[in-house]
Protein backbone atom coordinates (compact mmCIF):
# COMPACT_ATOMS: atom_id res chain seq x y z
CA UNK A 1 0.00 0.00 0.00
CA UNK A 2 2.86 2.39 0.80
CA UNK A 3 4.42 1.72 -2.58
CA UNK A 4 1.19 2.62 -4.37
CA UNK A 5 0.85 5.84 -2.37
CA UNK A 6 4.48 6.70 -3.02
CA UNK A 7 4.04 6.11 -6.76
CA UNK A 8 0.85 8.17 -6.77
CA UNK A 9 2.66 11.02 -4.96
CA UNK A 10 5.57 10.94 -7.44
CA UNK A 11 3.14 10.91 -10.35
CA UNK A 12 1.21 13.90 -9.01
CA UNK A 13 4.39 15.92 -8.39
CA UNK A 14 5.74 15.10 -11.87
CA UNK A 15 2.40 15.97 -13.50
CA UNK A 16 2.27 19.30 -11.67
CA UNK A 17 5.82 20.23 -12.68
CA UNK A 18 5.28 19.33 -16.34
CA UNK A 19 2.18 21.53 -16.61
CA UNK A 20 3.51 24.57 -14.76
CA UNK A 21 3.81 27.83 -16.67
CA UNK A 22 7.14 28.88 -18.10
CA UNK A 23 9.01 31.61 -16.30
CA UNK A 24 9.77 34.76 -18.24
CA UNK A 25 13.41 33.67 -18.59
CA UNK A 26 12.41 30.25 -19.94
CA UNK A 27 9.97 31.86 -22.34
CA UNK A 28 12.67 34.23 -23.65
CA UNK A 29 15.09 31.33 -24.03
CA UNK A 30 12.50 29.30 -25.99
CA UNK A 31 11.66 32.25 -28.23
CA UNK A 32 15.34 32.87 -29.00
CA UNK A 33 15.74 29.17 -29.77
CA UNK A 34 12.74 29.37 -32.16
CA UNK A 35 14.17 32.46 -33.90
CA UNK A 36 17.54 30.73 -34.38
CA UNK A 37 15.78 27.64 -35.77
CA UNK A 38 13.79 29.72 -38.26
CA UNK A 39 17.00 31.48 -39.36
CA UNK A 40 18.68 28.12 -39.94
CA UNK A 41 15.68 26.76 -41.85
CA UNK A 42 15.52 29.89 -43.98
CA UNK A 43 19.19 29.49 -44.90
CA UNK A 44 18.40 25.93 -46.02
CA UNK A 45 15.54 27.28 -48.16
CA UNK A 46 17.90 29.84 -49.70
CA UNK A 47 20.51 27.18 -50.45
CA UNK A 48 17.83 25.08 -52.20
CA UNK A 49 17.43 27.92 -54.71
CA UNK A 50 20.92 27.00 -55.99
CA UNK A 51 21.90 30.55 -56.80
CA UNK A 52 25.37 31.12 -58.22
CA UNK A 53 28.02 32.43 -55.85
CA UNK A 54 27.75 36.18 -55.52
CA UNK A 55 30.71 38.10 -56.94
CA UNK A 56 29.10 41.31 -55.64
CA UNK A 57 29.41 42.43 -52.04
CA UNK A 58 25.92 43.14 -50.72
CA UNK A 59 25.84 45.48 -47.71
CA UNK A 60 23.81 44.23 -44.76
CA UNK A 61 22.95 46.12 -41.58
CA UNK A 62 24.84 45.32 -38.42
CA UNK A 63 23.20 43.27 -35.67
CA UNK A 64 22.77 45.51 -32.62
CA UNK A 65 19.78 44.27 -30.61
CA UNK A 66 16.10 43.36 -30.82
CA UNK A 67 14.94 46.82 -31.93
CA UNK A 68 17.30 46.94 -34.91
CA UNK A 69 16.81 43.26 -35.76
CA UNK A 70 13.04 43.72 -35.84
CA UNK A 71 13.40 46.73 -38.13
CA UNK A 72 15.91 45.02 -40.42
CA UNK A 73 13.77 41.89 -40.75
CA UNK A 74 10.76 44.09 -41.53
CA UNK A 75 12.69 45.77 -44.35
CA UNK A 76 13.87 42.40 -45.69
CA UNK A 77 10.33 41.03 -45.45
CA UNK A 78 9.11 43.91 -47.61
CA UNK A 79 11.89 43.40 -50.14
CA UNK A 80 11.01 39.71 -50.49
CA UNK A 81 7.53 40.40 -51.88
CA UNK A 82 7.71 38.16 -54.95
CA UNK A 83 5.92 34.87 -55.80
CA UNK A 84 9.25 33.12 -56.46
CA UNK A 85 10.41 33.89 -52.92
CA UNK A 86 7.18 33.15 -51.03
CA UNK A 87 8.69 30.53 -48.67
CA UNK A 88 11.69 32.68 -47.78
CA UNK A 89 9.42 35.69 -47.31
CA UNK A 90 7.13 33.65 -45.02
CA UNK A 91 10.16 32.54 -42.97
CA UNK A 92 11.47 36.09 -42.60
CA UNK A 93 7.99 37.39 -41.76
CA UNK A 94 7.57 34.72 -39.07
CA UNK A 95 10.99 35.51 -37.65
CA UNK A 96 10.23 39.24 -37.64
CA UNK A 97 6.99 38.60 -35.74
CA UNK A 98 8.78 36.52 -33.11
CA UNK A 99 11.55 39.11 -32.73
CA UNK A 100 8.94 41.87 -32.39
CA UNK A 101 7.02 39.85 -29.80
CA UNK A 102 10.22 39.13 -27.86
CA UNK A 103 11.18 42.81 -27.96
CA UNK A 104 7.76 43.82 -26.64
CA UNK A 105 7.96 41.26 -23.83
CA UNK A 106 11.36 42.69 -22.86
CA UNK A 107 9.94 46.24 -23.10
CA UNK A 108 12.34 47.26 -25.87
CA UNK A 109 11.51 50.37 -27.91
CA UNK A 110 10.25 49.46 -31.40
CA UNK A 111 9.64 51.43 -34.54
CA UNK A 112 6.50 50.69 -36.56
CA UNK A 113 6.98 48.00 -39.18
CA UNK A 114 8.43 49.59 -42.34
CA UNK A 115 5.95 50.26 -45.13
CA UNK A 116 6.26 48.36 -48.39
CA UNK A 117 7.91 50.53 -51.01
CA UNK A 118 7.31 50.11 -54.71
CA UNK A 119 10.35 49.53 -56.82
CA UNK A 120 10.48 50.32 -60.52
CA UNK A 121 13.70 48.43 -60.97
CA UNK A 122 14.69 47.88 -64.60
CA UNK A 123 16.38 44.60 -63.62
CA UNK A 124 13.91 42.76 -61.34
CA UNK A 125 15.80 39.44 -61.51
CA UNK A 126 19.00 41.12 -60.37
CA UNK A 127 17.13 42.87 -57.56
CA UNK A 128 15.65 39.57 -56.35
CA UNK A 129 19.04 37.88 -56.50
CA UNK A 130 20.60 40.71 -54.49
CA UNK A 131 17.72 40.63 -51.98
CA UNK A 132 18.14 36.88 -51.41
CA UNK A 133 21.89 37.36 -51.04
CA UNK A 134 21.27 40.18 -48.54
CA UNK A 135 18.88 37.98 -46.54
CA UNK A 136 21.40 35.13 -46.56
CA UNK A 137 24.24 37.34 -45.31
CA UNK A 138 22.01 38.96 -42.69
CA UNK A 139 20.82 35.60 -41.31
CA UNK A 140 24.34 34.19 -41.25
CA UNK A 141 25.43 37.29 -39.33
CA UNK A 142 22.42 36.94 -37.00
CA UNK A 143 23.40 33.34 -36.21
CA UNK A 144 26.96 34.44 -35.46
CA UNK A 145 25.62 37.18 -33.16
CA UNK A 146 22.60 35.37 -31.65
CA UNK A 147 23.57 36.73 -28.23
CA UNK A 148 22.27 40.11 -29.43
CA UNK A 149 18.75 38.60 -29.31
CA UNK A 150 18.96 39.14 -25.53
CA UNK A 151 19.58 42.89 -25.89
CA UNK A 152 17.23 45.71 -26.70
Amino acid sequence: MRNILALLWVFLIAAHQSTSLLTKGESIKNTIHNIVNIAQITLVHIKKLKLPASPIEVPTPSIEGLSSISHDLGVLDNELQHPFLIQIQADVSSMEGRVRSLALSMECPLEPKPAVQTDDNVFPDSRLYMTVTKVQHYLENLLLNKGKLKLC
Side-chain angles (χ1 to χ4, degrees):
M1 182 68 164
R2 288 185 200 175
N3 290 340
I4 292 173
L5 289 175
L7 286 173
L8 180 60
W9 177 255
V10 169
F11 176 74
L12 288 173
I13 296 297
H16 174 69
Q17 289 177 350
S18 68
T19 59
S20 63
L21 297 174
L22 294 176
T23 64
K24 186 173 181 177
E26 291 169 333
S27 178
I28 289 170
K29 184 178 174 183
N30 286 344
T31 303
I32 290 171
H33 180 73
N34 289 336
I35 292 166
V36 168
N37 281 343
I38 294 170
Q40 292 168 333
I41 291 168
T42 305
L43 288 171
V44 169
H45 290 153
I46 290 171
K47 287 182 171 98
K48 284 184 178 181
L49 293 176
K50 297 182 181 174
L51 298 172
S54 175
I56 301 170
E57 186 69 29
V58 179
T60 56
S62 63
I63 309 290
E64 296 173 17
L66 289 170
S67 299
S68 69
I69 294 169
S70 175
H71 179 266
D72 298 338
L73 290 173
V75 170
L76 293 172
D77 180 21
N78 291 342
E79 290 180 19
L80 288 166
Q81 302 292 325
H82 189 277
F84 179 67
L85 303 174
I86 195 160
Q87 181 61 58
I88 296 167
Q89 188 270 328
D91 293 343
V92 170
S93 181
S94 175
M95 197 175 347
E96 190 274 334
R98 288 175 192 258
V99 168
R100 182 169 284 278
S101 175
L102 179 60
L104 289 172
S105 74
M106 293 176 61
E107 300 178 7
C108 299
L110 287 175
E111 297 177 25
K113 187 172 177 178
V116 177
Q117 295 183 358
T118 58
D119 187 18
D120 297 330
N121 194 331
V122 182
F123 303 104
D125 292 340
S126 297
R127 184 190 67 77
L128 289 176
Y129 174 72
M130 291 191 63
T131 298
V132 170
T133 303
K134 188 188 315 182
V135 170
Q136 180 179 5
H137 291 312
Y138 188 80
L139 295 181
E140 289 169 346
N141 193 18
L142 179 63
L143 291 176
L144 290 173
N145 294 287
K146 61 186 173 188
K148 302 279 179 123
L149 289 168
K150 298 176 183 174
L151 307 174
C152 283

